[in-house]
């Protein structure tokens, strides 16, 4: 208890970034961090800039957060970049958002390769414009042998769509008698999700003060820890990331069990 209080008091660290990183690394690092990167439009509006200026600035945050995630030893960083509902936005904004992976990856791919980062994507790939597909494919191809941080972009991703697709695949297996309905269990469903090869997020962060999931990883977030911050995505920096991880490290994950005996 005393130890807990002491840790609480030192939670919002005042040390340098390097000291904080070192301290955080001594404790339990979340293996998979997922982020709903929100608030780009409001960041731009506050500065009387067009919304796309906020998206452009947000790209720089992606770079910063990728670097620190890698440095901390996080295994997977999933970034919600475009939802299946974001097609409802004005065409000009969508066109810009579809060009961002190309710009991000052209600018930072050499750096990602150098840092041993592996680029992946979840979402409906087929519906993306060809130039977006090509940039993502190139980055995936050039980083596929890397075994540092997996930088997983959720692009044209929607959790309900993902679940619908999984149900369709399983229904086909039953129809062609490859499996029986009794064979359906959690691990079978998981194996048909776009995240089949990944562990569930340990920590979900959402920026910009919104406290909702917006159709993001509804199945996978069942036992994740949530961290919400008012900071807008373009302003989210290494310190904000460390705040979220330090907060995570103070949580007591029980997974339905009793204190101290929780297991993933
Ligand atoms: C997040 O910022 C980026 C995407 C959803 C693509 P927003 O564009 O949603 O910014 P706000 O929420 O309008 O401020
Ligand atoms: C969620 O943000 C999607 C992404 C961050 C890509 P939105 O800005 O689209 O979410 P809502 O509409 O406010 O719920
Ligand atoms: Mg938003």
């Amino acid at each position: 208890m005393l130890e807990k209080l002491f840790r609480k008091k030192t939670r919002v660290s005042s040390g340098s970034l390097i000291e904080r990183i070192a301290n955080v690394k001594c404790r339990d690092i979340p293996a998979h961090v997922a982020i709903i990167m929100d608030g780009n439009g409001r960041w731009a509006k506050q500065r009387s800039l067009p919304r796309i200026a906020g998206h452009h600035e947000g790209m720089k945050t992606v770079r910063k957060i990728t670097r620190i995630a890698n440095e901390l030893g996080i295994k997977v960083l999933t970034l919600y970049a475009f939802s299946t509902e974001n097609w409802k936005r004005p065409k000009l904004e969508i066109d810009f958002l579809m060009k961002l992976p190309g710009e991000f990856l052209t600018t930072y791919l050499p750096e990602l390769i150098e840092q041993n980062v592996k680029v992946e994507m979840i979402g409906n790939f087929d519906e993306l414009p060809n130039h977006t597909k090509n940039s993502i494919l190139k980055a995936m191809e050039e980083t596929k042998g890397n075994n540092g941080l997996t930088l997983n972009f959720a692009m044209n991703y929607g959790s309900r769509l993902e679940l619908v697709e999984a149900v369709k695949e399983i229904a086909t297996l039953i129809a062609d008698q490859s499996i029986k309905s009794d064979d359906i269990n959690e691990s079978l469903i998981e194996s048909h999700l776009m995240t089949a090869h990944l562990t569930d997020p340990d920590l979900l962060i959402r920026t910009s003060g919104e406290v909702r999931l917006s159709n993001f990883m509804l199945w996978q977030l069942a036992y994740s820890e949530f961290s919400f911050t008012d900071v807008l995505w373009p302003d989210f920096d290494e310190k904000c990331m460390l705040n979220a991880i330090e907060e995570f490290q103070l949580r007591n994950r029980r997974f339905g069990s009793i204190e101290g005996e929780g297991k993933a």
Side-chain angles (χ1 to χ4, degrees), residues 47 152 208 214 217 228 244 249:
R47 289 159 181 78
N152 181 36
S208 88
S214 303
M217 297 184 119
F228 296 100
Q249 291 179 327

Side-chain angles (χ1 to χ4, degrees), residues 38-40 42 51 89 206 208 210:
D38 201 9
N40 294 350
R42 277 163 284 169
R51 292 177 57 83
R89 296 189 177 202
R206 182 167 187 154
S208 88
E210 307 300 346

Side-chain angles (χ1 to χ4, degrees), residues 69-70 73-77 112 115-119 143 145-151:
N70 203 15
I74 290 167
K75 297 275 174 267
V76 183
L77 178 67
L112 295 174
Q115 290 167 29
N116 196 21
V117 172
K118 184 178 184 178
V119 177
T143 61
N146 292 352
N147 59 7
L149 174 79
T150 294
L151 176 59

Side-chain angles (χ1 to χ4, degrees), residues 7-208:
R7 278 155 70 191
K8 272 222 162 86
K9 272 189 185 157
T10 57
R11 182 163 81 84
V12 182
S13 292
S14 50
S16 72
L17 213 55
I18 293 171
E19 279 167 0
R20 287 184 72 187
I21 291 173
N23 283 335
V24 159
K25 281 172 87 166
C26 292
R27 296 180 189 169
D28 191 18
I29 293 286
H32 184 170
V33 176
I35 308 186
I36 303 178
M37 310 182 286
D38 201 9
N40 294 350
R42 277 163 284 169
W43 183 93
K45 195 171 177 203
Q46 283 173 359
R47 289 159 181 78
S48 308
L49 294 168
R51 292 177 57 83
I52 57 171
H55 296 315
H56 197 263
E57 195 64 24
M59 196 178 76
K60 298 182 194 161
T61 307
V62 171
R63 179 196 185 202
K64 264 188 225 166
I65 299 309
T66 302
R67 288 172 76 108
I68 189 165
N70 203 15
E71 165 64 33
L72 288 170
I74 290 167
K75 297 275 174 267
V76 183
L77 178 67
T78 297
L79 300 178
Y80 202 9
F82 192 91
S83 76
T84 45
E85 288 70 37
N86 287 146
W87 295 106
K88 294 176 193 163
R89 296 189 177 202
K91 185 175 179 317
L92 218 76
E93 184 172 345
I94 293 172
D95 288 348
F96 187 84
L97 288 168
M98 290 298 150
K99 282 190 193 127
L100 271 188
E103 187 176 343
F104 177 80
L105 294 166
T106 312
T107 316
Y108 299 122
L109 192 55
E111 186 176 304
L112 295 174
I113 292 170
E114 193 193 305
Q115 290 167 29
N116 196 21
V117 172
K118 184 178 184 178
V119 177
E120 289 188 357
M121 188 203 121
I122 53 168
N124 184 334
F125 184 76
D126 294 344
E127 279 177 6
L128 296 172
N130 282 336
H131 65 86
T132 315
K133 282 184 190 164
N134 292 339
S135 312
I136 296 171
L137 281 177
K138 180 173 183 280
M140 284 171 61
E141 179 59 31
E142 291 191 23
T143 61
K144 70 178 181 204
N146 292 352
N147 59 7
L149 174 79
T150 294
L151 176 59
N152 181 36
F153 287 103
M155 188 78 194
N156 194 17
Y157 173 86
S159 193
R160 288 184 173 178
L161 177 76
E162 177 186 39
L163 289 166
V164 167
E165 293 302 324
V167 170
K168 279 188 192 162
E169 285 174 19
I170 293 169
T172 308
L173 292 178
I174 295 173
D176 68 19
Q177 299 189 337
S178 305
I179 61 164
K180 299 191 197 71
S181 61
D182 262 0
D183 296 330
I184 300 175
N185 55 27
E186 290 187 14
S187 61
L188 181 85
I189 294 174
E190 268 162 11
S191 71
H192 286 271
L193 299 179
M194 293 164 179
T195 50
H197 59 300
L198 302 172
T199 57
D200 288 341
D202 301 285
L203 172 64
L204 169 84
I205 300 170
R206 182 167 187 154
T207 58
S208 88

